[in-house]
Amino acid sequence: MLDDLNTPVSSSIIDRDTPPKKTDRVEISPLHSISAREHILQQEISSNELRERAWVEIDLTALAHNVRQVKRLLSVNAQLMAVVKADAYGHGAVTVAQTVLQHGATWLGVATIGEGIELRKAGIDAPILILGATHSPEQIRALAHFSLQPTLVSPQQARVFEQTLSSLHQSVGVHVKLDTGMSRLGVLWQQAVEFLQLVSRCPHLRIASIYSHLATADSPDPTVMQLQQQRFEKAIANLRAAGINIPRLHLANSAATFTAPQLHYDLVRVGLGIYGLYPAPHLQPTIDLKPVLQVKARVTQVKIIPPGTGVSYGHQFIADREMLLAVVGIGYADGVPRNLSQKMKVSIRGQMIPQIGAITMDQLMLDGSAIPDLQVGEVVTLLGQDGNNFISADDWAATLGTISWEILCSFKHRLPRVAVSR
């Protein structure tokens, strides 16, 4: 099964009622009449273009497997929030959201209002939490219109929400975030009672949950995580003593979900795990995950270059022998980091092939000498499985001194997302 996943995110929260366009589809101007044969030909060209140069494959079978594996770990009363922000970590938010909801997730988490609107316009009616802070009346009106649930982090924000919602004669469920040690968004945990009392006095705000975020859950040393849990539970105890009703608690991210069932509470928020990657190597024995994303491209030219030939900008690579050079149609504008230049290998026909010279905006070069009959149009696997070879986002991250989250989120929208079921 193959389906295109390219669905553009609305660039403006004002554009509430315009359905999203499918950018890969052929649009026929009403001012230009074409024949049915031309229409079919245009559609065929559009479909073929998905894999003409470079693309991202999304394995929906692996995604469903990962959701089921996470669900097996959960405490009896805990629900799963799938975090699908940043276009589902580069996997395609709409199709990922639809798949995870079919296989056991009941909540979705996004970072921005635009991300939430994209899901609503796609017909998704599951509860959606906006993990980022929203402040302006325009944002609040959009939240209410699309039944999105905001995060509250300050008294000033709560007052703006109440004023705006009062004018709309509408109420919304709000999630109060406590800062228990992440030092990012959230009201300080020591101020939880005072803040929740303010929120409780706002008739148009309904407390949907209280939550916090862990800073070091992926560390083998649980000290800081345990401290954050203690602070969280102290704040909750104080709130209950003050008579404040708390319908739902959540604290665990992927790492804590895998290792700390005492942190599952009513809901867990899992991002990286559902995409088949581990937050840290020591967590691999805790759960069986399958990577969901693969990045592939095609060879666009093959030629022989003599010894002494410089390759790409700056001639960082000089051929020391006659070499079969393969040009591949993908570059740093697509999300392949330029700092991987001459540090990465790809797989063709199950053989690992070194990348040479500087990676350019739209193209990169390979030493294809190991495959003397290499042809234009052959598929190059940059990330994923090819024969016995597996190249992971973790491999790129280790080479670059970064994290797999950044690698996944770097693949640009000009790479079509193509869904596959294996």
Side-chain angles (χ1 to χ4, degrees), residues 159-221:
R159 294 186 186 100
V160 174
F161 262 84
E162 175 60 25
Q163 292 169 1
T164 305
L165 293 169
S166 176
S167 68
L168 297 174
H169 306 288
Q170 191 169 348
S171 63
V172 300
V174 298
H175 299 251
V176 174
K177 186 170 188 179
L178 305 181
D179 180 1
T180 59
M182 181 70 178
S183 300
R184 201 172 60 177
L185 279 182
V187 64
L188 292 175
W189 65 275
Q190 301 95 325
Q191 301 170 2
V193 172
E194 180 182 0
F195 182 59
L196 266 294
Q197 286 174 336
L198 168 64
V199 174
S200 298
R201 291 194 296 269
C202 297
H204 297 89
L205 303 182
R206 294 177 282 103
I207 299 172
S209 83
I210 297 175
Y211 77 105
S212 188
H213 191 58
L214 298 167
T216 66
D218 56 352
S219 171
D221 182 355

Side-chain angles (χ1 to χ4, degrees), residues 63-64 67-68 70-71 74 78-82 97-107:
L63 180 62
V67 172
R68 290 192 297 267
V70 172
K71 287 281 290 181
L74 297 188
Q79 298 183 52
L80 170 61
M81 176 186 291
Q98 292 168 338
T99 302
V100 298
L101 290 170
Q102 290 169 3
H103 292 276
T106 53
W107 284 74

Side-chain angles (χ1 to χ4, degrees), residues 20-98:
K21 290 183 177 180
K22 300 290 285 183
T23 56
D24 61 295
R25 299 293 186 253
V26 176
E27 295 185 9
I28 303 173
S29 169
L31 300 180
H32 174 61
S33 177
I34 66 174
S35 69
R37 172 61 184 161
E38 288 173 323
H39 188 192
I40 292 171
L41 180 60
Q42 286 188 2
Q43 289 180 323
E44 289 175 347
I45 291 171
S46 177
S47 177
N48 291 337
E49 282 179 349
L50 293 178
R51 295 178 176 223
E52 181 181 272
R53 184 185 75 93
W55 65 96
V56 173
E57 287 186 1
I58 305 301
D59 186 343
L60 299 183
T61 304
L63 180 62
H65 165 85
N66 296 336
V67 172
R68 290 192 297 267
Q69 290 295 305
V70 172
K71 287 281 290 181
R72 289 193 181 105
L73 292 178
L74 297 188
S75 302
V76 175
N77 296 320
Q79 298 183 52
L80 170 61
M81 176 186 291
V83 180
V84 295
K85 64 181 179 177
D87 197 32
Y89 293 32
H91 291 66
V94 170
T95 297
V96 166
Q98 292 168 338

